Amino acid sequence: MIRRLVLWLDDRLGAASFARKALRKAFPDHWAFMLGEVALYCYIVLVLTGVFLTFFFTPSGQDVVYTGPYAPLRGARMSAAYASMLVLSFEVRAGLVMRQIHHWAANVFVAAIAAHAMRIFFTGAFRRPREINWIIGTCLLLLAMAAGFTGYSLPDDLLSGTGIRIAYSVLLSVPVIGTWAAYLFFGGEFPGPGTIQRFLSLHIMILQALIVGALSLHLIIVWHQKHTQFRAPGRTEDTVTGSPLFPNYTLKSIGLMFAVFAVLAFLGGMVQINPIWLYGPYDPTTVSAPAQPDWYVGWLEGLLRLFPNWQINLWVVQIPEPFFPGVLIPALLFLIYALWPFIEQAATGDRSVHHFLDRARDAPARSGFGVAGVAFMALLTLAGSNDILAHVFGVPVEWITEILRGAVIVVPVVFGWATYALCRELKKQQEEPKPLWHALRRGATGGYAEDERR
Amino acid sequence: MSPAERRVAAALTVSILGSAGLGVVYALGGQAQLEGVLLSIALGGLAAGLAAWALGLLPPEQVTDRREPQSSRPEDRIAITSELERGKEDLTSRRTLARLLLGALATFGAVMFFPIRSLGPAPGRSMFHTKWTAGAYVVDSLGRRVRAGEMSTQSVITVFPEGDLGSAVSQALLIRVDPTLLRLPPSRMDWAPYGYVAYSKFCTHAGCPVGLYRAAAHQLLCPCHQSTFDVLDGARPIFGPTTRALPQLPLRVDSDGYLRAAGDFSAPVGPGFWELPPS
Amino acid sequence: MKRWAGVAIGAGILAVGAVPWPAFGQVSPPAAPPMGTYAGPAPATPAGDVHRGYNLYAVHCASCHGLAAEGTKDGIPLVGIGAGTLDFVLRTGRMPLTDPQQPMYRRPSNWTPQQIADVVAYVASLGPGGPEVPTVDPARGDLAHGRGVFAANCAACHGAAGQGAAVGEGAEAPALYQASELEIAEAVRVGPDPMPRFDAGIIRQYDLDSLVKYVVWLRHPPDPGGFNIGHVGPVAEGFVAWVVGMGALTLVIRAIGTKD
């Protein structure tokens, strides 16, 4: 039966010769290489659950009165978008679990991308010829964050609406064009009439098209260039060793897919996420504490909280405060991040092809900068929850802010330098192993001589 | 069955039970926690089964591929380069046509951006004023007019101009303090009758409502980025990333005892924007 | 074998997610009377005896607030502070403070209603004024209206689920789960530092009844989505996504993949 199928398809597509080579393609199966796959499978969950959600979501800011089963909101005025999410959560069978799986998948998706990106960085997998894929990967990270932000803003609840308000202000703060940009993007003064509708368009259509396109390119390039691998006896720069695609790697990969689905399903049912009914519908005149965005926007929030109240003028006009922490610094950070392969090439002068991966110790400077970068982003994310830290530790939030203002500069430098020194030391240890112990021999004339033993 | 096969069988059986259970739960009306756990059992069983199959039943095999040099053959590179250069030559040798082509594409491209203008209204002067006018009644969030005498010191409510209830832009905080504690500038001494002061609730940093009031200390705190404002001193910022005070609304008490505005806010409300005049 | 250890640990991490975590910042609420059985005005306050009140006051309060409640460097003047204020701080154990530099917070209280009434009588005898002990009848309130009042006035400091939050300069808006109906109403009318005060002109009786009804309801919100991780919000959710989500998946890929 399989023979008949293969012949039928090959007569029309001529794919047998390609498939023959493809099915035997080597896939290195080190566990750290699967982080990208974890992200990919999270994305599949997002698409599947997302399609379900689109059948129930009403992307309208129009005022309606709620008449559903959730008693504390009965009779309350809210947007049709928010009301539709209440219906989905309380009245649609499996609606709540689908919504929660979708939201957990989004959080884990960006976490997996971040972990994958860190693995690529610290193993130097972005070096020639993979610079293009690094840039595509940076775009995917940004697209994922944007998709997440637009996505969790769709229910138009009090918490996410506050986030949209801040985004509007950040857009407004751009010099010269900010006011126009905000008015055009949002359709007027905040909250604009079509904000939720535009966010939906972005979230399910524009950003998804970009993600699918970039992701396909990303995978095609990996396939074409073949995967990198760690050094090991028997491996060379000109070969790549791994499991054959079919059946070994396929089976493992599909198994991983189900595992990702299983973890997200568990979280989706067992751990509540984004209880919009408690936050209430968005009202631009009220707010609830604590107010944080989803974790992957936390670093931006931290920048906005930590940035001092400096009045920075361009001639006579003051540049609005959110511009520096909200636009300029993030742009610089991501520019450095995106161009890192070229920065490293310029700094080291190493423009040769690399298919072998480094261990962290093999590139002490890169590892140092990497750890400093991760520490910087982690501290900023921490700063984004400074009021929660104040509440937990019983310390005034002003102290947390002041301490983090200094820490955000000092700690990355210290951690980065310590990592650099540690990597250098480890590298030196391997190249010039120190003797394990020294033996002292007493000579006949009474002196001592040393023996070095390993 | 070998032990490895038994492992696969067990995992897949667990998965079947999970899926069946999920179907039953759904048919009975559904419950989020059961749906999640049974779904994860169904999927996890499949995951474990497939992984066990791949790792335990398939012969462990490693294949090695040769890496071809990434670059193409020199003759291909030369050929494509010369093809592209020939195309460019063809274009640039016909200068007028090339310029017209460029002009056509550029003009069309520019005009294609015009519909962006349709996305929203021109900002105009709308950022510079709110619906507060001289004589506007101060109403609470339920639309009830506020009388002087209804609030004691240490209290705060959110107010709007009558007719613009719930407005994001016009929202204001009405706070009553002991008038002897106020340190307003001389030009605003009559803006606070009987110790009632009103400030914009629209944070001057990033636009969140400044919802927290520490009454005894007379300080307003915005929960978004912790900008803190001194109520006794014209809502001057004393902590946090904002550089501008909350604009103040002049108040007066009319002959019936109702609180009314005596004009619009002292400055444009909300977060900064490029056209904002320097303070 | 090691592979399965990894998978088992991964399953274990998921199981950890299934263990009922103590709700972050939430303490178990006292046995609350069921809704609707509390009807009518506040329980009849026993008549206070000024003399007994003075004795209690002299022992517990005078060192910081002065023998004639005139105030000292350690405590504010209490003349005209109001019966509601005194009842609230004594009933919730906020007063007497062992350390005058510390902010007030809820502690177990040993004061009987008679003792509280006595002290109230004594302080009232020094001068009138201040909020009275409010009456509250949640059964007459509406849950949805109460949610609206809560969202407009309380959620900014106390959190959308009443879980409490920091409000700057070391001050805290406490979690609301332990407060009784009377204590909630008293706090609203009294405005204990750092809270502002909401008089009858702002939050009227029906608003107050509804608000108390909703705050009591918040002790046991339905949480249909599963474990609420303390109602902290996206910060806790991000933590779970990394620790439980990525943690379990990292163990899975370590089990499936090789390590060389």
Side-chain angles (χ1 to χ4, degrees):
Chain A
M1 216 262 295
I2 289 185
R3 205 181 82 93
R4 273 210 298 240
L5 188 63
V6 167
L7 290 175
W8 191 90
L9 282 171
D10 188 57
D11 281 341
R12 284 149 188 76
L13 299 173
S17 52
F18 168 77
R20 179 186 178 195
K21 273 198 322 218
L23 291 182
R24 302 298 301 166
K25 193 175 170 77
F27 272 77
D29 36 10
H30 190 275
W31 65 269
F33 300 166
M34 295 183 178
L35 288 167
E37 271 177 68
V38 169
L40 173 67
Y41 295 136
C42 287
Y43 186 65
I44 293 179
V45 171
L46 284 169
V47 172
L48 292 174
T49 51
V51 167
F52 181 85
L53 295 178
T54 58
F55 291 140
F56 296 95
F57 179 68
T58 308
S60 161
Q62 188 179 32
D63 251 3
V64 298
V65 173
Y66 180 69
T67 53
Y70 185 69
L73 282 168
R74 214 174 283 142
R77 302 201 71 87
M78 55 186 61
S79 61
Y82 185 78
S84 71
M85 294 312 285
L86 288 179
V87 167
L88 178 69
S89 300
F90 292 114
E91 296 175 66
V92 172
R93 210 184 292 194
L96 183 62
V97 79
M98 283 290 211
R99 229 197 92 218
Q100 297 206 147
I101 293 178
H102 190 77
H103 201 143
W104 280 117
N107 278 353
V108 178
F109 179 48
V110 185
I113 295 179
H116 170 68
M118 285 196 273
R119 195 285 286 171
I120 301 286
F121 182 88
F122 285 106
T123 56
F126 53 80
R127 291 174 295 174
R128 181 175 165 191
R130 295 176 175 83
E131 305 97 318
I132 298 175
N133 237 7
W134 171 264
I135 294 181
I136 296 178
T138 309
C139 294
L140 279 168
L141 176 59
L142 290 167
L143 287 169
M145 294 197 290
F149 176 76
T150 49
Y152 74 70
S153 303
L154 288 175
D156 198 28
D157 58 277
L158 188 57
L159 186 59
S160 65
T162 308
I164 304 181
R165 171 67 246 187
I166 296 174
Y168 187 99
S169 307
V170 169
L171 192 53
L172 201 62
S173 74
V174 175
V176 185
I177 58 165
T179 319
W180 273 94
Y183 266 60
L184 290 178
F185 189 86
F186 285 88
E189 239 173 19
F190 187 84
T195 304
I196 299 298
Q197 188 170 16
R198 291 179 188 192
F199 269 44
L200 185 73
S201 219
L202 275 167
H203 181 74
I204 68 174
M205 198 172 64
I206 301 172
L207 289 170
Q208 298 319 316
L210 290 170
I211 289 178
V212 168
L215 191 55
S216 306
L217 215 57
H218 198 70
L219 292 173
I220 289 171
I221 294 179
V222 171
W223 174 283
H224 176 68
Q225 291 180 330
K226 299 186 178 50
H227 206 279
T228 53
Q229 59 185 5
F230 285 104
R231 271 176 226 276
R235 294 183 188 164
T236 67
E237 271 272 353
D238 302 323
T239 58
V240 55
T241 309
S243 296
L245 175 59
F246 188 85
N248 301 58
Y249 200 77
T250 306
L251 220 52
K252 282 203 276 193
S253 204
I254 297 185
L256 177 60
M257 181 181 80
F258 281 115
V260 171
F261 288 10
V263 170
L264 294 175
F266 180 82
L267 285 173
M270 291 302 292
V271 189
Q272 188 167 269
I273 185 169
N274 201 23
I276 53 171
W277 50 88
L278 279 176
Y279 300 142
Y282 181 60
D283 173 0
T285 66
T286 59
V287 67
S288 67
Q292 267 85 21
D294 275 14
W295 78 266
Y296 43 86
V297 189
W299 60 276
L300 247 181
E301 178 73 4
L303 273 170
L304 283 167
R305 291 184 187 208
L306 290 185
F307 201 78
N309 58 349
W310 293 334
Q311 199 159 357
I312 301 174
N313 291 353
L314 199 61
W315 302 291
V316 281
V317 192
Q318 180 185 356
I319 298 179
E321 302 95 321
F323 176 68
F324 298 95
V327 179
L328 196 60
I329 296 179
L332 283 170
L333 286 173
F334 272 93
L335 203 62
I336 297 175
Y337 179 77
L339 295 178
W340 184 264
F342 308 105
I343 296 173
E344 190 176 285
Q345 281 176 0
T348 59
D350 176 9
R351 288 184 174 78
S352 53
V353 167
H354 289 279
H355 294 296
F356 270 142
L357 294 170
D358 281 338
R359 288 171 310 165
R361 71 188 66 179
D362 296 328
R366 180 203 305 147
S367 301
F369 277 110
V371 166
V374 170
F376 183 65
M377 296 301 270
L379 281 167
L380 283 179
T381 310
L382 215 61
S385 39
N386 59 355
D387 51 349
I388 296 179
L389 291 173
H391 184 53
V392 167
F393 293 113
V395 169
V397 68
E398 292 80 1
W399 292 11
I400 307 258
T401 307
E402 298 286 13
I403 290 170
L404 280 172
R405 274 179 184 157
V408 123
I409 310 289
V410 170
V411 169
V413 170
V414 168
F415 275 32
W417 181 87
T419 306
Y420 173 73
L422 184 65
C423 288
R424 277 262 302 269
E425 190 58 37
L426 286 169
K427 201 166 153 188
K428 219 163 55 158
Q429 270 283 41
Q430 275 195 306
E431 288 162 8
E432 318 154 2
K434 285 208 188 75
L436 272 181
W437 49 282
H438 299 245
L440 293 177
R441 240 182 325 106
R442 182 134 189 234
T445 52
Y448 284 96
E450 256 184 51
D451 268 345
E452 280 189 4
R453 307 270 187 86
R454 293 219 79 247
Chain B
M1 272 195 190
S2 67
E5 285 176 335
R6 269 204 289 270
R7 273 198 289 267
V8 175
L12 293 175
T13 313
V14 166
S15 173
I16 292 173
L17 291 172
S19 296
L22 181 64
V24 167
V25 166
Y26 183 88
L28 290 177
Q31 199 277 337
Q33 280 71 67
L34 285 173
E35 286 160 3
V37 169
L38 289 167
L39 187 56
S40 67
I41 290 174
L43 295 163
L46 270 164
L50 288 170
W53 196 310
L55 298 168
L57 294 181
L58 292 178
E61 201 188 341
Q62 293 279 290
V63 289
T64 304
D65 290 342
R66 283 212 67 79
R67 290 188 197 271
E68 301 304 324
Q70 215 53 50
S71 320
S72 314
R73 296 175 305 164
E75 45 268 39
D76 290 330
R77 288 154 74 115
I78 294 171
I80 183 90
T81 312
S82 59
E83 281 291 336
L84 289 172
E85 277 177 351
R86 191 143 29 97
K88 179 171 163 280
E89 232 344 274
D90 183 54
L91 195 66
T92 54
S93 62
R94 305 193 166 108
R95 302 210 114 205
T96 330
L97 290 181
R99 286 206 181 123
L100 279 173
L101 179 61
L102 197 63
L105 289 171
T107 320
F108 177 70
V111 167
M112 277 312 294
F113 278 98
F114 277 34
I116 291 179
R117 176 65 187 86
S118 315
L119 288 174
R125 302 290 300 171
S126 53
M127 310 273 308
F128 289 89
H129 43 245
T130 71
K131 293 259 174 40
W132 286 101
T133 55
Y137 280 96
V138 172
V139 299
D140 67 8
S141 53
L142 293 169
R144 307 184 290 223
R145 290 179 181 176
V146 180
R147 294 187 103 103
E150 268 178 359
M151 285 170 67
S152 56
T153 59
Q154 315 278 57
S155 45
V156 59
I157 50 168
T158 305
V159 295
F160 305 91
E162 192 170 47
D164 201 23
L165 200 60
S167 158
V169 167
S170 305
Q171 59 179 314
L173 288 162
L174 180 67
I175 301 170
R176 189 168 187 192
V177 301
D178 178 353
T180 61
L181 298 174
L182 278 170
R183 298 190 302 273
L184 296 172
S187 55
R188 296 195 198 170
M189 283 316 291
D190 57 349
W191 286 23
Y194 304 110
Y196 282 96
V197 283
Y199 297 105
S200 169
K201 196 176 180 184
F202 202 177
C203 187
T204 52
H205 179 240
C208 295
V210 182
L212 286 77
Y213 180 50
R214 288 197 298 271
H218 304 105
Q219 288 170 351
L220 286 164
L221 173 75
C222 182
C224 288
H225 312 107
Q226 285 81 49
S227 293
T228 312
F229 305 93
D230 184 352
V231 167
L232 302 174
D233 194 3
R236 187 178 58 85
I238 56 177
F239 183 80
T242 192
T243 60
R244 283 168 301 116
L246 295 172
Q248 187 171 356
L249 185 73
L251 294 172
R252 63 177 181 83
V253 180
D254 72 4
S255 47
D256 296 319
Y258 287 112
L259 277 167
R260 299 167 81 156
D264 203 346
F265 286 100
S266 56
V269 295
F273 52 98
W274 181 249
E275 295 85 345
L276 184 67
S279 46
Chain C
M1 199 51 222
K2 280 199 214 160
R3 293 209 159 103
W4 302 112
V7 172
I9 296 176
I13 288 206
L14 285 183
V16 165
V19 169
W21 302 342
F24 193 96
Q26 183 172 1
V27 291
S28 29
M35 297 301 312
T37 61
Y38 184 90
T45 323
D49 179 76
V50 174
H51 213 73
R52 278 204 307 264
Y54 171 72
N55 290 332
L56 286 166
Y57 179 87
V59 171
H60 296 282
C61 321
S63 54
C64 292
H65 290 286
L67 264 183
E70 75 277 17
T72 68
K73 65 167 171 53
D74 289 330
I76 57 167
L78 296 180
V79 182
I81 199 84
T85 315
L86 287 170
D87 187 74
F88 177 75
V89 296
L90 290 171
R91 179 188 288 272
T92 61
R94 283 177 162 80
M95 287 289 165
L97 268 180
T98 43
D99 175 4
Q101 305 309 316
Q102 245 191 353
M104 294 194 293
Y105 62 98
R106 174 181 287 271
R107 285 174 297 163
S109 165
N110 298 328
W111 291 70
T112 67
Q114 182 62 63
Q115 289 172 318
I116 296 177
D118 292 339
V119 171
V120 165
Y122 169 66
V123 174
S125 73
L126 298 170
E132 292 300 314
V133 176
T135 60
V136 62
D137 183 5
R140 279 210 286 255
D142 173 66
L143 193 65
H145 183 66
R147 192 214 69 84
V149 175
F150 184 82
N153 295 290
C154 322
C157 294
H158 286 282
Q163 74 271 28
V167 293
E169 307 241 315
E172 292 274 317
L176 302 176
Y177 311 121
Q178 286 182 305
S180 72
E181 292 158 2
L182 181 60
E183 288 161 9
I184 298 167
E186 281 178 337
V188 169
R189 290 287 186 239
V190 165
D193 190 29
M195 185 171 157
R197 183 175 14 213
F198 300 90
D199 309 291
I202 314 173
I203 292 186
R204 305 191 181 167
Q205 191 58 43
Y206 175 65
D207 301 330
L208 185 63
D209 291 335
S210 305
L211 173 64
V212 171
K213 187 170 191 170
Y214 183 68
V215 173
V216 171
W217 183 91
L218 276 178
R219 290 179 192 160
H220 299 285
D223 288 336
F227 292 109
N228 60 38
I229 37 180
H231 295 122
V232 174
V235 174
E237 292 159 8
F239 189 75
V240 168
W242 271 100
V243 172
V244 178
M246 281 307 293
L249 288 170
T250 304
L251 286 162
V252 167
I253 59 180
R254 277 184 71 87
I256 295 181
T258 62
K259 287 178 195 62
D260 56 54

Coordinates of all heavy atoms in Angstrom, one line a residue, chain A residues 369-399:
Chain A
F369 N 30.2 38.9 28.3 CA 29.2 39.8 27.9 C 27.8 39.2 27.9 O 26.8 39.9 28.2 CB 29.5 40.3 26.4 CG 30.5 41.4 26.4 CD1 31.8 41.1 25.9 CD2 30.2 42.6 26.8 CE1 32.7 42.1 25.8 CE2 31.1 43.7 26.7 CZ 32.4 43.4 26.2
G370 N 27.7 37.9 27.6 CA 26.4 37.2 27.6 C 25.8 37.2 29.0 O 24.6 37.5 29.2
V371 N 26.6 36.8 30.0 CA 26.1 36.8 31.3 C 25.7 38.2 31.8 O 24.7 38.4 32.5 CB 27.2 36.1 32.3 CG1 26.8 36.4 33.7 CG2 27.3 34.7 32.0
A372 N 26.6 39.2 31.4 CA 26.2 40.6 31.8 C 24.9 41.0 31.2 O 24.0 41.6 31.9 CB 27.3 41.5 31.3
G373 N 24.7 40.6 29.9 CA 23.4 40.9 29.3 C 22.2 40.2 29.9 O 21.2 40.9 30.2
V374 N 22.4 39.0 30.2 CA 21.3 38.2 30.9 C 21.0 38.8 32.3 O 19.8 39.0 32.7 CB 21.6 36.7 31.0 CG1 20.6 36.0 31.9 CG2 21.6 36.1 29.6
A375 N 22.1 39.1 33.0 CA 21.9 39.7 34.3 C 21.2 41.1 34.2 O 20.3 41.4 35.0 CB 23.2 39.9 35.0
F376 N 21.6 41.9 33.2 CA 20.9 43.2 33.0 C 19.4 43.0 32.8 O 18.6 43.6 33.5 CB 21.6 43.8 31.8 CG 21.1 45.2 31.6 CD1 21.3 46.2 32.5 CD2 20.5 45.5 30.4 CE1 20.9 47.5 32.2 CE2 20.0 46.8 30.1 CZ 20.2 47.8 31.0
M377 N 19.1 42.1 31.9 CA 17.6 41.9 31.6 C 16.9 41.3 32.8 O 15.8 41.7 33.0 CB 17.5 41.0 30.4 CG 18.0 41.6 29.1 SD 17.3 43.1 28.6 CE 15.9 42.6 27.6
A378 N 17.6 40.4 33.5 CA 16.9 39.8 34.7 C 16.7 40.9 35.7 O 15.6 40.9 36.3 CB 17.8 38.7 35.2
L379 N 17.6 41.8 36.0 CA 17.4 42.8 37.0 C 16.4 43.8 36.5 O 15.6 44.2 37.4 CB 18.7 43.5 37.2 CG 19.7 42.8 38.1 CD1 21.1 43.5 38.0 CD2 19.2 42.8 39.5
L380 N 16.3 44.1 35.2 CA 15.2 45.0 34.8 C 13.9 44.3 35.0 O 12.9 45.0 35.4 CB 15.4 45.3 33.3 CG 16.5 46.3 33.0 CD1 16.6 46.5 31.5 CD2 16.2 47.7 33.7
T381 N 13.8 43.0 34.7 CA 12.5 42.3 34.9 C 12.2 42.4 36.4 O 11.0 42.6 36.8 CB 12.6 40.9 34.4 OG1 13.2 40.9 33.1 CG2 11.3 40.2 34.4
L382 N 13.2 42.2 37.2 CA 12.9 42.3 38.7 C 12.4 43.7 39.1 O 11.5 43.8 39.9 CB 14.2 42.0 39.4 CG 14.2 41.3 40.7 CD1 13.5 39.9 40.5 CD2 15.6 41.1 41.3
A383 N 13.0 44.7 38.4 CA 12.6 46.1 38.7 C 11.2 46.3 38.3 O 10.5 47.1 38.9 CB 13.6 47.0 38.0
G384 N 10.7 45.6 37.3 CA 9.4 45.7 36.9 C 8.4 45.3 37.9 O 7.2 45.7 37.9
S385 N 8.8 44.5 38.9 CA 7.9 44.1 40.0 C 8.4 44.6 41.3 O 8.3 44.0 42.3 CB 7.8 42.5 40.0 OG 9.0 41.9 39.7
N386 N 9.0 45.8 41.3 CA 9.5 46.4 42.5 C 8.5 46.5 43.6 O 8.8 46.4 44.8 CB 10.2 47.7 42.2 CG 9.3 48.7 41.6 OD1 8.2 48.5 41.3 ND2 9.8 50.0 41.5
D387 N 7.2 46.8 43.3 CA 6.2 47.0 44.3 C 5.9 45.6 45.0 O 5.6 45.5 46.2 CB 5.0 47.7 43.8 CG 4.4 47.0 42.6 OD1 5.1 46.2 41.9 OD2 3.3 47.4 42.2
I388 N 5.9 44.5 44.2 CA 5.7 43.2 44.7 C 6.9 42.8 45.6 O 6.7 42.3 46.7 CB 5.5 42.2 43.6 CG1 4.2 42.5 42.8 CG2 5.4 40.8 44.2 CD1 4.0 41.6 41.7
L389 N 8.1 43.1 45.2 CA 9.3 42.9 46.0 C 9.1 43.6 47.4 O 9.4 43.1 48.4 CB 10.5 43.3 45.3 CG 10.9 42.5 44.1 CD1 12.1 43.1 43.4 CD2 11.3 41.0 44.5
A390 N 8.7 44.9 47.3 CA 8.5 45.7 48.5 C 7.5 45.0 49.4 O 7.7 45.0 50.6 CB 8.0 47.1 48.1
H391 N 6.4 44.5 48.8 CA 5.4 43.9 49.6 C 5.9 42.6 50.3 O 5.6 42.3 51.4 CB 4.2 43.6 48.7 CG 3.0 43.0 49.4 ND1 2.4 43.6 50.4 CD2 2.2 41.9 49.1 CE1 1.3 42.9 50.8 NE2 1.2 41.9 50.0
V392 N 6.6 41.8 49.5 CA 7.1 40.5 50.0 C 8.2 40.7 51.1 O 8.1 40.0 52.1 CB 7.7 39.7 48.8 CG1 8.5 38.5 49.4 CG2 6.6 39.2 47.9
F393 N 9.1 41.6 50.9 CA 10.2 41.8 51.8 C 10.0 42.8 52.9 O 10.8 43.0 53.7 CB 11.5 42.1 51.0 CG 11.9 40.9 50.2 CD1 11.9 41.0 48.8 CD2 12.4 39.7 50.7 CE1 12.3 40.0 48.0 CE2 12.8 38.7 49.9 CZ 12.7 38.8 48.6
G394 N 8.8 43.5 52.8 CA 8.5 44.5 53.8 C 9.5 45.7 53.8 O 9.8 46.3 54.8
V395 N 10.0 46.0 52.6 CA 10.9 47.1 52.4 C 10.2 48.2 51.6 O 9.5 47.9 50.7 CB 12.2 46.6 51.6 CG1 13.1 47.7 51.2 CG2 12.9 45.6 52.5
P396 N 10.5 49.5 51.9 CA 9.8 50.6 51.1 C 10.2 50.4 49.6 O 11.3 50.1 49.3 CB 10.4 51.9 51.7 CG 10.8 51.5 53.1 CD 11.2 50.1 53.0
V397 N 9.2 50.6 48.8 CA 9.4 50.4 47.3 C 10.4 51.4 46.8 O 11.2 51.1 45.9 CB 8.1 50.5 46.6 CG1 7.5 51.9 46.6 CG2 8.2 50.0 45.2
E398 N 10.5 52.6 47.5 CA 11.5 53.5 47.0 C 13.0 53.0 47.2 O 13.8 53.3 46.4 CB 11.4 54.9 47.8 CG 10.1 55.6 47.5 CD 8.9 55.1 48.3 OE1 9.0 54.1 49.0 OE2 7.8 55.6 48.1
W399 N 13.2 52.2 48.3 CA 14.5 51.7 48.5 C 14.8 50.7 47.4 O 15.9 50.6 46.8 CB 14.6 51.0 49.8 CG 14.5 51.8 51.0 CD1 14.2 53.1 51.1 CD2 14.8 51.4 52.4 NE1 14.2 53.6 52.4 CE2 14.6 52.6 53.2 CE3 15.1 50.2 53.0 CZ2 14.7 52.5 54.6 CZ3 15.3 50.2 54.3 CH2 15.1 51.3 55.1

